[in-house]
Amino acid sequence: MERESSVDITGMGIVTSIGQGVTAFKEALFSGKTQFDDLKRPGREGAKPFIGAEIPEIDVRSLLPEYSSLLRTASWSGQIATLAVSEAWQDAQLVNGNVNPERIGLVVGGSNVQQRHQQEIWQRYQSRPQFLRPTYGLTVWDTDIMGLLSQCFHVQGEGYSVGGASASGAVAIIHAARQILMGITDVSIAVGSLFDLSGYECHGLTNLGAMGSERFADRPDLACRPFDQDHDGFIYGEGCGVLVLERSDHAQQRGAVSYGKLMGWGFNLDGNRSPEPSQKGEERAMNTALAMAELKPEEISYLNTHGTSSPLGDKTEVAALKSVGLNHCLVNSTKSLTGHCLTAAGVVEAIATLLQMNHSFCHPTHNLVNPIDYTLSWVKETAIQAEIKYAISNSFAFGGINTALLIGKS
């Protein structure tokens, strides 16, 4: 439904293990490409290897020579965020300076995202801390990546970082939309930043029972299997996603292409510190998004699940979407291909939703052989053609956070 003030999505940028750039990512989604293996990046060592999906080595400074001096001391998370924002910035046609920088906002989703970078510095300087680089003092703040991006792209409107654990990307999108709807900005950039796990986080999340066990240690490609009866916990994936949100009339005035509209969202807490999900909280998020968009459940044709491969999480989400009345929707899990991108997941999966919507397909769900529920319209191990007018993308998180984004086709 068109509103007096609505929010369009006019730019996208992405870097994941299965594709750098929107075009490569779209092709990887359609083909069902995966990149699961033992984690090999320095600082992720354990007694035994952890399984995950890492981005192939990229020399970001050579790709973005104009920012080379700033990127010299930036973390891996900061470098990848700069690369993804650069793509979205160009995609949204912001390079020609036709938008007042004081009317451009920036919201970076994620907290404590530079853990591996900090661990490496501690180890390098533990015997000589007096020689610690001064820039280390910047990396301890969640605003470090925001500051880097604002300097690179001369963003001078409202900006901040938001922490919502695995829902951080979706929370960033919601806050960016609020900036626009409140009249604070004309354009707002939402970043789902790369959560750079160190070996300590890998051990902690495994001990918590959240991260996949050693069950598929000899076959990493089989480990990530959302909604399959053999699911065994989430599998980490490196990734960063960026969306440029813009007031609809502003986008039209400057001739920007719209990939879709953010029509509504739900965002709530279920009063819970532990990692256990809440069916009622998830239902409330989806129902709130539907109410905000003034749509009925039967009008939604596709649902991009949170779908982490966690047995309890998958079971709870299935129950929630059935209770909301979304049984008829085509359903898949982007995490089955990318791994769980944690703080970036909400934006990565919103981009996946937009690409499927604009190119009339639904991507496969890797390793979905024996679904935990046979009554839903799963997109299993092969992509299918699909016309998607309205879609919901879910992101849930530790701390009892539940979000749902409702996206409409332009």
Side-chain angles (χ1 to χ4, degrees), residues 79-96:
Q79 291 186 38
I80 294 300
T82 307
L83 187 59
V85 171
S86 178
E87 181 184 25
W89 192 266
Q90 293 180 58
D91 189 35
Q93 303 171 46
L94 296 174
V95 289
N96 57 12

Side-chain angles (χ1 to χ4, degrees), residues 58-179:
I58 302 172
D59 186 350
V60 178
R61 291 177 66 193
S62 68
L63 292 174
L64 301 173
E66 64 272 39
Y67 310 127
S68 181
S69 60
L70 280 171
L71 293 173
R72 186 173 61 85
T73 57
S75 68
W76 181 236
S77 299
Q79 291 186 38
I80 294 300
T82 307
L83 187 59
V85 171
S86 178
E87 181 184 25
W89 192 266
Q90 293 180 58
D91 189 35
Q93 303 171 46
L94 296 174
V95 289
N96 57 12
N98 60 357
V99 178
N100 180 352
E102 295 181 4
R103 297 288 298 170
I104 301 176
L106 175 62
V107 186
V108 178
S111 54
N112 304 316
V113 300
Q114 303 180 100
Q115 297 292 84
R116 187 181 63 89
H117 176 77
Q118 292 177 334
Q119 290 284 349
E120 286 189 308
I121 291 175
W122 295 342
Q123 292 169 6
R124 191 178 308 148
Y125 291 98
Q126 60 182 344
S127 63
R128 48 194 183 101
Q130 66 273 27
F131 296 110
L132 198 67
R133 278 181 174 174
T135 50
Y136 173 76
L138 301 175
T139 65
V140 301
W141 303 103
D142 290 335
T143 53
D144 183 38
I145 292 174
M146 182 203 69
L148 172 68
L149 297 174
S150 66
Q151 184 170 354
C152 287
F153 299 96
H154 307 290
V155 175
Q156 297 174 12
E158 184 174 278
Y160 43 84
S161 61
V162 291
S166 296
S168 293
V171 174
I173 291 171
I174 291 167
H175 275 270
R178 285 174 174 169
Q179 287 180 346

Side-chain angles (χ1 to χ4, degrees), residues 16-19 25 28-29 31-41 44 49-56 211-213 216-226 233-239 306-309 333-342 348-349 363-368 381:
T16 69
S17 62
I18 61 173
F25 184 61
L29 290 175
S31 66
K33 179 180 178 180
T34 63
Q35 201 75 23
F36 296 109
D37 202 346
D38 292 341
L39 296 177
K40 297 181 174 68
R41 211 173 292 290
R44 293 191 182 139
F50 297 103
I51 297 172
E54 294 175 320
I55 296 168
M211 217 167 159
S213 72
F216 296 101
D218 59 336
R219 288 293 307 275
D221 59 309
L222 297 180
C224 191
R225 41 196 324 115
F234 85 78
I235 302 299
Y236 169 65
E238 287 187 332
H306 181 60
T308 65
S309 191
S333 168
T334 300
K335 291 182 183 73
S336 74
L337 306 178
T338 62
H340 193 341
C341 296
L342 300 175
V348 168
E349 291 157 24
H363 71 67
T365 305
H366 184 55
N367 289 324
L368 183 53
E381 294 195 275

Side-chain angles (χ1 to χ4, degrees), residues 31 43-44 68 127 134 146 155 215 230 240 248 273 282 293 295 305 314 323 338 341 345 354 359 387 403:
S31 66
R44 293 191 182 139
S68 181
S127 63
M146 182 203 69
V155 175
R215 181 177 176 188
D230 288 324
C240 176
S248 296
R273 183 197 178 196
E282 294 177 12
L295 292 174
T305 63
D314 289 354
S323 176
T338 62
C341 296
L354 287 160
H359 295 277
E387 294 300 321
T403 69

